[in-house]
Amino acid sequence: MEHQRPKILIVDDRPENLFALEQTLKPLNASLTRATSGEEALSQVLRQQFALILMDVQMPDMDGFETVSLMRDYDETKNVPVIFVTAISKESKFVEQGYESGAVDYLFKPIAPNILLSKVKVFLELENQRIALERAINANKELAAHNETVLDCIVEGIVSFSGKGMIDWANPTALRLLEMTLQQIECLSLFDLFHHTNSKPSSDWSYFEEFKEFKGPNNHVHIRNSDHLLKRQNFTTFPVEFSISGFSNNIQEGGVFSFQDITKRKWTENELVRLAQEDSLTQLPNRALFHEFLRVSIQERIRDNGNLALLMLDMDDFKRVNDTLGHDVGDLLLQSVSSRLEKSLRQGDLVARLGGDEFGIILPKIRQSDDAGRVAKKVLESFTQPHQLGNYTLTIGASIGITTFPEGGTNIQALIKSADTAMYHAKGLGRNNFQFFSKEMQNRVVAKDTLEKELVVALEERQFVSFFQPKIDTNGSLIGYEALVRWNHPTRGLVFPNDFIPLVEETGLVIELGKQMLEMACRQNKDWIDRGIVSPSTTVAVNVSVRQLADKKLVDTIKTVLTNTQLPASCLEVEITEYTMMNDVEQAIIVLNKLRDLGIKIAIDDFGTGYSSLTYLSKLPLNSLKVDQYFVNGIGNDKGDESIVKATINLAHSLHLEVTAEGVETNLQREFLIENSVNFLQGYLFSKPQSAENLEQWIIENTSSNILNMTAV
Ligand code: C2E
Ligand code: MG
Ligand code: MG
């Protein structure tokens, strides 16, 4: 392209000379510009950049020397090389004048074209180099500007430093984060930027623990760290994550320090830690923190041979508040209780919400167990004040169990268990009191543990057997039997349900036990019916407990057992205590309806002890009602019991339910019951619960005779 060819200005007042020069220079592929006077030459020179000027010395108005010396006055033109072309004598005085005015060379006319060409070539070559250099410089400048823009855009603060740690540069982000100017930061060393928590700042790399490996430049160690604080100009600090790497090149030794403000991240991290350890409703420590605090406290007491106390607190009847006034009021109550608990404690003690209405208190250091008793008393006293919750004023009690380290246990689990045991004991003693965990309680806990383990084995090994107790009608005919579980214990012999049913129920093992009993009962009844031992309508009654009733699979389990044993559904009756039904009436209604749809009979057991309302009784799909043996027992010696029995029978009949009296032991009871229209009778008077084998014998012996008459003798 035209503008890339080097330019030569030829100046001569005589056109033929100009023409001759042009002809000579043609082979050079340069761009030639003419000027016929000094003035014209000047104006050309100011307009464009020439690689070389060939200047005639003798010109009419302004001669060559004058022109060149004027050119030397301007920055833009003073460096342009000039070769004088002259016909004047070669006397040295002219030549000197030419060099003085800034010429680089001299040529005399007539000019030998070869010489001219080779001289001009040198200058063109120089010009090419100059252009290349200028381009390189420009490119460099652009690169530097670009780099600067890039550094400006970086969100990390970047600081470079010399081998001694003196800061020599910082990017805008670094300056913004540190609230410093470049001048301010350039007076500092890298170490001045750090907030030093201990002793005086050192400029030694080893000042920072993690810098120890970093022996300065040339080391190329990368250090990443997020535990330090940097200082702003105003001495406030902020947490950073930073990295440092050293470098050394032939210009300098130094390093680069880059950092990020992690204030936000730290805050989030801390917040997460806080949330993970806090109960969101009450802002008390949660179970996780409670465990951790207990763990640490135990370790401390092991070290100093001291004592600590653990209190478990459970609010009395909190569920009722929730159920009757709603969860919002329940929540307010929990918050109010929490703040009272906090106020009852000393600094250093910890109260945590462990879930629901359960709180745990740790007194990490006590002198004697009385200390814990005093705290419990104070807490209970704080509970006597009513809570003002919006429009409601409520008073609620609490039961507290106390255990101490090391007496009540030497690890977290043992301590929590013993405190819980004491708390349940307090609840059992009528609530709103506190109880210390005792050795006797501990023995009970151990015994319970052992029993639980044994029960698991017993279920696996099928040590449970079903006994059967006959039920007869008022004509003395056998109408069915109740299946009652017995534990055929390998060493203790026959164990009765009262000794294990509560624990079986508590542990949930009752689900499996119930299944086994159901199978045994149905299979046995089917067998007796098939073999004609009993009539085809004989019913076997099986007891179903709270946990079983709550079990989603109960109906399916019963269906499967009926299918497997081929017993007609009408030959199976379930007995559910009044208490069990009332525990969750809604659930009872759902499950019982399903069982009734299958054709199974349903009896309400131990009636008279569970405070059921008439409304519910009429809603439940019941077939019969069993008067509790407690009232039957009173017949003949307690008028009150007698009227209850009468009233119960009447009530049942008005609801179209049949009535069974259980626990019939005497003829007097039998007569009273029959007189008052009871439908069925069950009790020792006729037969105790017996093993299947024995009962079979009993049935065979008694079917021909009237059981009523026989036993009445
Ligand atoms: P329950 O269902 O009310 O059973 C009646 C209890 O009264 C039985 O006690 C029975 O042996 C006893 N009994 C019967 N007639 C007389 C009598 O004339 N006088 C006296 N004093 N007692 C009589 P058992 O077998 O010890 O069972 C106690 C309770 O254990 C049962 O009361 C029932 O609630 C529960 N239970 C028994 N077997 C099972 C079972 O397989 N599953 C479940 N979930 N509970 C069962
Ligand atoms: Mg029963
Ligand atoms: Mg009963």
Side-chain angles (χ1 to χ4, degrees), residues 482 484 543 575 577 604-607 626-629 662-663 682:
E482 178 175 3
L484 293 156
N543 292 284
E575 286 188 14
T577 67
I604 184 164
D605 203 351
D606 299 349
F607 189 80
K626 294 182 83 177
V627 185
D628 193 77
Q629 47 181 289
E662 61 180 345
Q682 180 185 354

Side-chain angles (χ1 to χ4, degrees), residues 239-259:
V240 286
E241 180 178 278
F242 67 83
S243 69
I244 289 188
S245 42
F247 66 78
S248 116
N249 53 34
N250 35 21
I251 301 171
Q252 69 168 19
E253 282 197 328
V256 174
F257 169 70
S258 66
F259 63 96

Side-chain angles (χ1 to χ4, degrees), residues 469 482 484-486 497-498 501 517 543 545 548 575 605-606 629 662-665 683-684 689:
Q469 187 181 35
E482 178 175 3
L484 293 156
V485 66
R486 299 290 179 264
N498 289 346
I501 284 286
M517 278 299 289
N543 292 284
S545 70
Q548 285 174 281
E575 286 188 14
D605 203 351
D606 299 349
Q629 47 181 289
E662 61 180 345
V664 183
E665 293 183 350
Y684 291 176

Side-chain angles (χ1 to χ4, degrees), residues 661-694:
E662 61 180 345
V664 183
E665 293 183 350
T666 67
N667 280 319
L668 187 96
Q669 290 164 355
R670 175 188 61 111
E671 276 155 24
F672 177 91
L673 289 161
I674 294 177
E675 222 164 85
N676 284 287
S677 314
V678 81
N679 301 89
F680 310 114
L681 300 137
Q682 180 185 354
Y684 291 176
L685 181 64
F686 315 106
S687 164
K688 285 198 165 183
Q690 304 186 54
S691 68
E693 214 177 16
N694 289 349

Side-chain angles (χ1 to χ4, degrees), residues 388-430:
Q388 189 60 49
L389 313 168
N391 295 328
Y392 299 99
T393 310
L394 292 184
T395 310
I396 195 153
S399 304
I400 301 177
I402 307 173
T403 193
T404 51
F405 169 92
E407 297 78 12
T410 49
N411 60 48
I412 299 180
Q413 284 74 21
L415 279 171
I416 290 180
K417 200 161 185 176
S418 60
D420 266 340
T421 306
M423 194 267 286
Y424 285 121
H425 194 63
K427 276 228 187 279
L429 287 176

Side-chain angles (χ1 to χ4, degrees), residues 154-159 171-175 177 257-261:
I154 290 175
V155 289
E156 284 204 322
I158 295 175
V159 169
N171 76 341
T173 306
L175 298 175
L177 291 174
F257 169 70
S258 66
F259 63 96
Q260 252 177 318
D261 182 349

